[in-house]
Amino acid sequence: VQLQASGGGSVQAGGSLRLSCAASGFTLGGYYIGWFRQAPGKEREGVSCVSRSGGGTAYADSVKGRFTISRDDAKNTVYLQMNSLKPEDTAVYYCAADLYGLGCPLLRADGMDYWDKGTQVTVSS
């Protein structure tokens, strides 16, 4: 079971990035998938979650209206489209899988089952 996030990088404030979370060794379709982030000196926080069917989503208040999560189970990939980026969005972003829905819908990191190693997002002012 392996997750790999990609798509991070450096952008100026107001710019956009799209993160991808690809799975190998298992099918993402059976899992809730969440995005979390951790800035230096801060705790890991939940950013967004998408349900197994893709019909349910959750967002942190800080990203509502700017970020959009989606999934393409045919490609075994989940995406996080990030628009209108702000310097405070700078962090390492992680995708994670939740089999039972214990963590993802509540954006709780301690309920997630599998994690990737993260991708850096840096937003400059």
Side-chain angles (χ1 to χ4, degrees):
V1 174
Q2 190 171 11
L3 293 169
Q4 184 167 4
S6 61
S10 297
V11 296
Q12 290 190 327
S16 298
L17 285 172
R18 188 176 80 157
L19 304 183
S20 298
C21 176
S24 60
F26 72 107
T27 302
L28 277 182
Y31 292 78
Y32 293 79
I33 302 298
W35 287 96
F36 295 77
R37 66 187 182 186
Q38 188 165 19
K42 294 188 177 181
E43 293 187 354
R44 191 169 298 189
E45 63 172 347
V47 175
S48 185
C49 172
V50 61
S51 66
R52 294 188 187 96
S53 66
T57 57
Y59 295 94
D61 288 343
S62 59
V63 306
K64 281 181 182 176
R66 300 188 298 122
F67 291 11
T68 303
I69 192 170
S70 62
R71 64 190 305 154
D72 185 341
D73 288 342
K75 295 184 178 179
N76 218 23
T77 302
V78 170
Y79 304 98
L80 185 68
Q81 178 66 43
M82 306 187 295
N83 298 328
S84 302
L85 283 162
K86 304 175 181 180
E88 51 263 43
D89 294 318
T90 295
V92 177
Y93 283 70
Y94 301 88
C95 67
D98 176 1
L99 179 59
Y100 299 108
L102 298 178
C104 191
L106 300 175
L107 300 180
R108 289 187 55 168
D110 60 359
M112 308 304 289
D113 298 305
Y114 304 107
W115 292 85
D116 91 293
K117 295 181 179 180
T119 185
Q120 177 71 45
V121 171
T122 302
V123 185
S124 58
S125 58

